[in-house]
Every structure is written in structure tokens, then in C-alpha cells.
Amino acid sequence: MSTTTRFQLMVMMFLEFLIWGSWYVTMGTYLGDNLMATGVQIGLAYQTVSIGAIIAPFFIGLIADRFFPAQRILGVLHLIGAVVLYLLGQQSTFNGFYPLILIYMLLYMPTLALVNAVAFRQMSDTSKEFPPVRVLGTIGWIVVGNIIAYLALEKTKSLDQTFLIGAIASAALGVFSFFLPNTPPPKSKEEKISISDILGLEALGMLKNPSYLIFFIGSILVCIPLSFYYNFANPFLNEAGMIGAAGKMSWGQISEIAFMLVLPVALIRYGIKKILLVGMLAWALRYICFAYGDAGANYWMLIVGIILHGVCYDFFFVTGQIYTEQQAGVRFKSSAQGMITLATYGIGMFIGSYISGYVVDMYNADGVHNWTSIWMVPAGLAVVILLGFAFFFRSEK
């Protein structure tokens, strides 16, 4: 891979995740403060991510993999997405906002697979060449979070501008995509494809393994408490009085990079099960920190809760992807990763988005949230899942 191509792929990844991070972290705060949305409505807005994750494989399998070069589809989706993001920032009611965010996520979620397809096609050794490219996506997320904090968009209740930032970046990536290396469709138009192929259901046979079945169920369940963080951490931190919450939350992505470096050594030393359990325990600890943290003497608890993101994500989700690949073998590697993604970001977070919104509304009295009670719900869920997983899951070192 040439230096020019590597640079192009890095810019692509940087913009891809800068776009998502520009509005995703603060959307809950925006909906609550600017559109007076309820907790359930905020949950419904975040639920569109899961709907997009469920629909995306059909789009990729039926269209992108068979008819058009990936970079051109990527460009078209981001150009249309730029218009939708701009319109999102112009809405004054949730009823006007929701259809647009649903349309946007149907456009955006397929691009996550498309940027990977463009990158992988240019690489001869993905294990060495992909990580330095993919890390630019995390950096893009960190950068835009700090831009939002620097501009004080949360403090001034100007979070409608986050959609404008996303729209500009989306338009830029849309144009830039047409200059990316050509990535023709990997399959012919005449090649038959089934729903089982698209959703990775041919890997369902892996569930006959009792240990993998427990892991699969645990992965779905742990996404329920996970949704509380994605949907309501930013509104909570702003209500708690944290200055520049979006920028502080980007520290979670920094810790993600740091713990990713630790993960290979930890896996070899402690094995899959212990690492997965540490990841689950981190979720419970994070929510306990949020439950009892504040902007005063317990401010450190808020910071610890944010930084634990690296342990939560790397030690459970990345480790889970590695475990899935080990169990799948050569034949089902691709379909198995598709299946576990559908289960977590599709089914698990779909359920979690609704439950989290319901719980937030349940502990809301005249616009005042009882955040201690709210955060103890996902903390309790995480502990129950942790105990069940520790008892039933069996894995070799």
C-alpha cells in the first residue's frame, strides 16, 4: 500500500467517525434541552442506531456487494446524509426530528461497513496495516468532542450546531470518497445470495457450543446497561455541572486506545473468561461512579466513570470479537462477526434504548432527575449479568 493510499484511508476514517461523534454524544442533551423530549423519546432516537444496524447488512449484501464500487456508494450516502444532518438541526419538535434521524441512520450505518471494505481492499496484511488506519477514526471522535467543548455548545444550549458540524464533515467526506481508490463490488450481479448469508445466520451452528451460547446471550444482555451510557451520560454530566462534558467524554476514547495496547498481553496471561468478566465488572463500577459522583468533592468519580470506557469496550466487545473469531474457524469468520454485531448493536441496544428511556422517565419528578436511582439500575443489571456469566461460561485459557 502506497503512502498516498494510506493517507487517503486515514482521512476517510477520521471524517467517518468525526461525523458520528459530532452529534451522537450530545443528542440526548439536545433533545432534552432544546426539543423538550422525554426519556422514552430520547431512547427512541438512539434506537434508530439499532434499526440502522439491522437494515445495513441487507443494503450491503443486496446492493453494495453486487452492483456499485464501494467508494461511490460511500460518497452518495454521505452527500445525502449531509443534507439530512443539516435539516436535523433545524427541527423544533421531536415529531419532526425523529423521522429524519431514522432516515439518517439508515444512510449512515452502511457506511461503517463500506469504509472497512475500501480499506481492506487496499491492504495486503490487514492485521498490521488496518489498526494504524482505524485509530484515526477514534482520533476523529476525540477531536470533535473537544471542538464542541471548546465552543461551549452545551453550556450555551447551542447543540443544534453539532448537526451543522456533522453536515459539513459529511459533505466533505462525500466529495472526498469519489477520489478514494477504486473498490469494485466483490460479487457478480448473477451470484445468488440468501437472507442467511446477509445476516450471518449460517454461523448459528456455533450456538450449539454451550459456552459460546452463554457468551452470545450475555453479549445481548450487556448491551441493555450499555445503552444507558450512550443515551444519557451526556445529559447527566451536564446536569451534574461538568464543564465541557463532550470534551471530557472523549477521554473515554483515549482510554480505549490505551487499553487496546494492554489487551493482547492481558489475554495471553489471564485468558478470555477473566478478561470478559473484568469488562463486565467495569460496567457496574462505571455506573456506581456515576450514581454517587458530582461536580463537587466526588468529581473524581465522574472522571473515573468516563475513563472506564476503555476497559468496558476493549475488555468485553473487542475480546468478544476475538473469541468469536476463535470459535468460528476459517469457514464462518465473516458470518460469525456479522451475527454477533447484529445481536449486540441490533437486538441488544434496540431493547436497551427503550428500557433506558423508560427508567429515566420513571425517576424524573417535575424535570428533576434522580440520577442516583437511574444509574443504579444499569449497575444492578450489570452485576446480575456478571454473576450469571461467571457461573455458566466456560472457556479455555
Side-chain angles (χ1 to χ4, degrees):
M1 184 170 61
S2 68
T3 302
T4 300
T5 299
R6 183 179 293 106
F7 176 76
Q8 286 179 304
L9 298 180
M10 286 180 168
V11 172
M12 175 188 72
M13 284 293 181
F14 178 84
L15 290 174
E16 173 74 12
F17 287 90
L18 184 150
I19 293 165
W20 196 2
S22 66
W23 59 268
Y24 183 76
V25 173
T26 57
M27 181 173 70
T29 302
Y30 169 73
L31 290 175
D33 289 350
N34 295 55
L35 304 189
M36 306 304 167
T38 65
V40 170
Q41 287 176 326
I42 293 172
L44 289 174
Y46 278 102
Q47 203 176 61
T48 60
V49 176
S50 300
I51 296 173
I54 294 170
I55 299 299
F58 290 94
F59 179 87
I60 297 297
L62 295 175
I63 299 176
D65 280 355
R66 305 176 74 191
F67 293 100
F68 304 103
Q71 81 280 3
R72 292 182 187 175
I73 301 178
L74 182 66
V76 171
L77 290 177
H78 274 301
L79 288 174
I80 299 173
V83 176
V84 179
L85 280 173
Y86 174 78
L87 293 175
L88 278 166
Q90 309 304 307
Q91 302 308 305
S92 58
T93 65
F94 181 79
N95 289 337
F97 183 91
Y98 180 79
L100 288 172
I101 194 63
L102 177 59
I103 291 170
Y104 182 72
M105 292 319 298
L106 294 176
L107 293 168
Y108 181 83
M109 292 308 286
T111 68
L112 295 173
L114 290 170
V115 293
N116 285 343
V118 172
F120 289 151
R121 193 68 67 87
Q122 316 309 317
M123 298 175 180
S124 56
D125 187 345
T126 55
S127 63
K128 292 182 179 180
E129 295 176 292
F130 185 68
V133 170
R134 174 57 183 83
V135 77
L136 264 293
T138 304
I139 292 173
W141 191 289
I142 293 169
V143 167
V144 77
N146 283 278
I147 290 174
I148 293 170
Y150 176 77
L151 296 176
L153 299 183
E154 295 157 292
K155 183 178 180 180
T156 59
K157 297 188 184 301
S158 302
L159 288 174
D160 55 306
Q161 298 300 307
T162 62
F163 296 100
L164 178 60
I165 294 171
I168 293 171
S170 186
L173 181 53
V175 174
F176 184 73
S177 295
F178 289 97
F179 298 92
L180 290 169
N182 186 41
T183 310
K187 299 175 182 177
S188 67
K189 299 177 184 179
E190 293 74 23
E191 186 174 342
K192 293 183 179 180
I193 189 168
S194 66
I195 300 300
S196 176
D197 294 332
I198 291 173
L199 297 179
L201 299 183
E202 62 180 2
L204 280 175
M206 293 171 59
L207 301 183
K208 294 178 182 178
N209 177 343
S211 289
Y212 190 79
L213 176 62
I214 296 300
F215 164 75
F216 186 81
I217 295 172
S219 296
I220 294 175
L221 293 177
V222 83
C223 283
I224 296 175
L226 164 67
S227 297
F228 280 78
Y229 178 77
Y230 283 162
N231 300 3
F232 293 104
N234 188 259
F236 157 69
L237 293 172
N238 276 286
E239 286 188 27
M242 179 176 282
I243 304 300
K248 300 291 195 311
M249 288 180 70
S250 72
W251 295 0
Q253 278 64 49
I254 296 173
S255 76
E256 182 184 325
I257 296 174
F259 282 104
M260 190 74 76
L261 299 175
V262 175
L263 184 60
V265 177
L267 279 171
I268 293 172
R269 183 165 184 177
Y270 299 109
I272 291 284
K273 181 175 181 176
K274 289 181 180 178
I275 297 302
L276 289 171
L277 289 173
V278 170
M280 289 181 167
L281 178 61
W283 285 114
L285 293 175
R286 152 182 273 177
Y287 293 132
I288 291 172
C289 284
F290 280 177
Y292 295 101
D294 54 50
N298 292 331
Y299 187 76
W300 65 271
M301 298 183 76
L302 301 182
I303 300 301
V304 169
I306 292 171
I307 293 175
L308 278 171
H309 175 79
V311 184
C312 296
Y313 185 82
D314 293 340
F315 279 40
F316 190 85
F317 285 98
V318 176
T319 300
Q321 292 166 359
I322 294 170
Y323 176 62
T324 295
E325 181 168 338
Q326 289 177 349
Q327 297 299 309
V330 177
R331 182 180 176 188
F332 296 125
K333 278 189 178 183
S334 179
S335 58
Q337 294 295 343
M339 180 180 70
I340 196 65
T341 299
L342 180 68
T344 52
Y345 287 94
I347 300 171
M349 289 189 65
F350 184 90
I351 298 170
S353 292
Y354 180 78
I355 291 177
S356 63
Y358 178 81
V359 169
V360 168
D361 279 346
M362 185 169 63
Y363 290 107
N364 179 9
D366 299 323
V368 179
H369 294 100
N370 182 345
W371 286 109
T372 298
S373 297
I374 290 170
W375 290 121
M376 288 308 292
V377 172
L381 287 172
V383 169
V384 171
I385 297 167
L386 168 67
L387 294 175
F389 193 82
F391 183 79
F392 291 107
F393 182 74
R394 299 288 182 270
S395 176
E396 300 81 11
K397 189 169 183 181

